[in-house]
Amino acid sequence: MADMDIRKLKSGTDVRGVASPILGRKVTLTCDAAELIARAFCTWLARRTGKDTLKIAVGNDSRITAGELVAAFEKGAAESGAEVFYTGLSSTPSMFMILQDKGRAYDGSVMVTASHLPADRNGLKFFTPEGGLEGGDVDEILEIAAKGVFTEGKGGVHGDYFMDEYSAQLAERVRKACGSEKPLEGKKIIVDAGNGAGGFFTEKVLKPLGANTDGSLYLEPDGTFPHHAPNPEDKVAISALKKAVLENHADLGIIFDTDVDRAGAVDVKGEEINRNRLIALVSARLLEKRPGTIVTDSVTSDGLTKFIEERGGKHHRYMRGYRNVIDECKRLNDAGEYSPLAVETSGHCAFKDNYFLDDGAYLVTEILIILAEQLKKGQRLADLIKGLEEPAEAAEIRLPINCDDFREYGKTVLEKVAESAPAISGANVAPNNYEGVRINFDKEHGDGWILIRLSLHEAIMPINTESNEKGGCEKMAKALLEIICGFEKLDCAALENFISK
């Protein structure tokens, strides 16, 4: 594999690529590449730990290419002298939690996943006992893979299914918080696993807590994802969960992404609890215990800021990307500013008291605890966020960039927007913005905000906008279009269609 090709598999803090030709795209994450990356990871980890023999865990979600990529990784790691322990169908968070078991004494772990991306994609996510790898670490690993100079040895492949222990830990957390062996006795809770790895939550967490999970959706692993995208933000997925909750008269609906590092929920009345509403729900409980700073991504609403501040907290918007948000939350704590939560509107949610691990299943245990507390008061889950002011309308528009060097081109677009925005009537560039350009508009010119940024993983410029008036988003979108319409390689058709609809 060409040097540049394997380096291009980097995606933020992960490795990702096309692993199957089923959707007509060229395969970039081949088994050969996975084997080289395995050897490079072992070489990198041996240098880091100073150990001659490494113990590495590897697991996967339900993707169709999981088996072949795991086998390639096992082969490469064993040829580098590592003892490899296969955990089977797993969640991404469990692959970090297995490293916290001192008895196992693993040096690192790898999860084969591409989160919610289409069925032809796959990837590798790396962990050490200290946490997920940073982008610079992944650069080093891919550089080693490109050069092809590895540690040598003769390791072996073993099995170590950890999900039962991990599930028991989650259930015990709910029991301890609620003071009951079966705190969900008599409650009906629907799970939509989207044919990913999250089906375990019904049998191994909810049922032992006493819940009735009849009516749950798509629990069987199927990497073709035949029903809907396994994504808590997907409208089709949320609609399916709402329908199941209402038809089954459930107390709560839960939805996971493919590898269970994200989650969302639906209330007993079918109301969505995701994005800003999910952040508000979790923040309300945390801030009641102790005031602190809630770190979120850049696309959260002004209503959420007000909600957090009214409860004695501080809202700190940071750049999108779950690792960016988590790292910023860690930085604040290290600097002496108490920050209990790092959370993205996508459903990535990391708690200070859980290693700052973005764990969708752990998030759901928090929601279950809140549900139990609310039911004791005779209230429903959504009652806790009644004070959250929500916009009259909101939208996300995604504009493709049609060139190979899309990052540099996108930066040029953002520079132009930042330069031109101050001249727009009724507008001002938001201060303390860490990503893209966020423009606030007064009541006469849109009564809200619009944010244009560059995607972390794709040749896309997403635009997010919220307004307190109907038609406000269109006004702000028109103002932005006037600035960016001259960029020939930026496809503005979706923005034009949004304005003309």
Side-chain angles (χ1 to χ4, degrees):
M1 188 171 188
D3 287 3
M4 287 304 296
D5 287 341
I6 204 161
R7 292 188 185 102
K8 285 182 178 179
L9 290 172
K10 182 190 175 187
S11 179
T13 56
D14 305 343
V15 164
R16 286 185 184 175
V18 177
S20 167
I22 60 168
L23 298 182
R25 286 186 276 237
K26 180 183 177 182
V27 172
T28 57
L29 181 57
T30 63
C31 288
D32 287 344
E35 187 176 333
L36 287 174
I37 293 168
R39 300 206 66 180
F41 178 57
C42 291
T43 302
W44 178 87
L45 196 56
R47 293 174 184 172
R48 180 187 176 103
T49 61
K51 293 183 178 181
D52 294 327
T53 302
L54 298 168
K55 291 180 65 179
I56 297 174
V58 59
N60 59 268
D61 64 20
S62 62
R63 291 181 171 274
I64 55 175
T65 52
E68 61 196 67
L69 290 177
V70 166
F73 184 90
E74 289 173 337
K75 180 174 182 290
E79 287 177 356
S80 289
E83 296 298 325
V84 186
F85 294 79
Y86 178 51
T87 63
L89 185 70
S90 303
S91 73
T92 291
S94 74
M95 297 308 297
F96 170 75
M97 293 304 296
I98 198 172
L99 302 181
Q100 305 312 306
D101 184 340
K102 305 305 180 185
R104 285 181 164 88
Y106 289 134
D107 299 296
S109 65
V110 172
M111 177 69 175
V112 178
T113 181
S115 187
H116 64 284
L117 293 181
D120 64 338
R121 307 293 182 90
N122 216 326
L124 304 171
K125 186 181 288 287
F126 309 92
F127 296 96
T128 68
E130 290 71 44
L133 267 56
E134 302 288 345
D137 299 325
V138 177
D139 284 331
E140 290 178 20
I141 291 168
L142 293 179
E143 185 68 27
I144 294 168
K147 290 180 178 178
V149 180
F150 309 120
T151 55
E152 301 289 341
K154 189 174 182 181
V157 178
H158 319 271
D160 183 9
Y161 187 70
F162 178 65
M163 287 300 291
D164 286 345
E165 295 172 54
Y166 168 73
S167 300
Q169 292 171 12
L170 295 171
E172 188 56 32
R173 178 173 187 259
V174 180
R175 290 191 181 103
K176 185 176 179 180
C178 296
S180 170
E181 183 67 18
K182 293 194 173 184
L184 302 181
E185 193 83 67
K187 306 296 182 292
K188 175 166 276 194
I189 298 178
I190 300 291
V191 172
D192 183 338
N195 300 112
F200 77 93
F201 203 82
T202 56
E203 293 294 327
K204 297 181 180 180
V205 180
L206 290 174
K207 287 185 178 180
L209 292 172
N212 178 345
T213 63
D214 293 348
S216 289
L217 303 172
Y218 318 134
L219 303 180
E220 291 300 316
D222 184 342
T224 65
F225 311 127
H227 300 99
H228 61 65
N231 183 355
E233 292 186 285
D234 184 77
K235 291 181 180 179
V236 175
I238 287 292
S239 293
L241 181 59
K242 282 183 180 180
K243 185 172 182 284
V245 167
L246 294 174
E247 287 182 350
N248 288 277
H249 306 287
D251 297 282
L252 178 68
I254 297 162
I255 184 167
F256 293 115
D257 73 340
T258 320
D259 61 328
V260 202
D261 61 0
R262 295 191 295 134
V266 168
D267 184 61
V268 62
K269 291 189 177 180
E271 293 183 21
E272 296 177 33
I273 301 178
N274 58 8
R275 299 183 66 80
N276 290 291
R277 293 169 65 83
L278 178 64
I279 298 171
L281 181 77
V282 178
S283 297
R285 184 169 189 268
L286 292 173
L287 295 173
E288 187 177 17
K289 295 178 182 177
R290 179 182 173 184
T293 298
I294 306 299
V295 181
T296 75
D297 59 358
S298 59
V299 299
T300 45
S301 71
D302 293 336
L304 178 64
T305 301
K306 184 178 178 182
F307 182 91
I308 290 170
E309 290 175 350
E310 287 176 344
R311 283 151 186 80
K314 176 182 173 184
H315 182 196
H316 179 55
R317 284 194 190 97
Y318 199 62
M319 66 180 69
R320 200 161 169 85
Y322 70 96
R323 283 307 301 270
N324 293 327
V325 174
I326 290 170
D327 287 346
E328 179 67 0
C329 192
K330 287 180 177 178
R331 185 190 70 78
L332 292 177
N333 280 284
D334 289 343
E337 182 175 343
Y338 174 67
S339 181
L341 181 68
V343 56
E344 273 200 310
T345 48
S346 64
H348 280 290
C349 189
F351 294 83
K352 185 176 187 292
D353 65 2
N354 189 44
Y355 305 94
F356 286 112
L357 175 66
D358 53 320
D359 185 344
Y362 188 91
L363 167 61
V364 170
T365 64
E366 181 74 6
I367 294 172
L368 294 175
I369 293 165
I370 296 171
L371 174 66
E373 291 174 349
Q374 288 295 97
L375 290 173
K376 285 180 182 178
K377 300 174 186 175
Q379 298 178 351
R380 64 190 183 98
L381 200 61
D383 288 339
L384 195 60
I385 54 174
K386 271 186 176 177
L388 177 65
E389 294 180 5
E390 301 191 65
E393 58 181 20
E396 180 172 280
I397 307 121
R398 297 168 67 82
L399 308 184
I401 302 175
N402 299 314
C403 65
D404 292 334
D405 195 9
F406 69 89
R407 295 191 189 283
E408 287 304 314
Y409 195 83
K411 289 177 183 177
T412 303
V413 175
L414 293 176
E415 288 170 1
K416 176 66 173 177
V417 174
E419 175 188 320
S420 304
I424 301 173
S425 297
N428 63 82
V429 177
N432 303 320
N433 192 58
Y434 293 92
E435 179 179 31
V437 182
R438 185 181 179 113
I439 309 170
N440 296 326
F441 288 78
D442 64 23
K443 288 190 176 183
E444 293 182 8
H445 297 86
D447 195 11
W449 56 269
I450 193 165
L451 169 71
I452 181 170
R453 58 188 176 83
L454 182 61
S455 172
L456 295 172
H457 304 295
E458 302 174 273
I460 295 286
M461 295 202 78
I463 296 169
N464 293 85
T465 181
E466 289 187 0
S467 175
N468 296 316
E469 65 171 55
K470 290 291 183 182
C473 289
E474 182 181 345
K475 291 180 184 178
M476 295 182 285
K478 284 180 179 177
L480 179 62
L481 180 61
E482 288 182 11
I483 298 173
I484 64 176
C485 62
F487 287 90
E488 294 181 358
K489 296 177 182 178
L490 182 65
D491 185 351
C492 293
L495 186 59
E496 293 167 353
N497 292 337
F498 174 76
I499 293 168
S500 63
K501 68 180 180 181

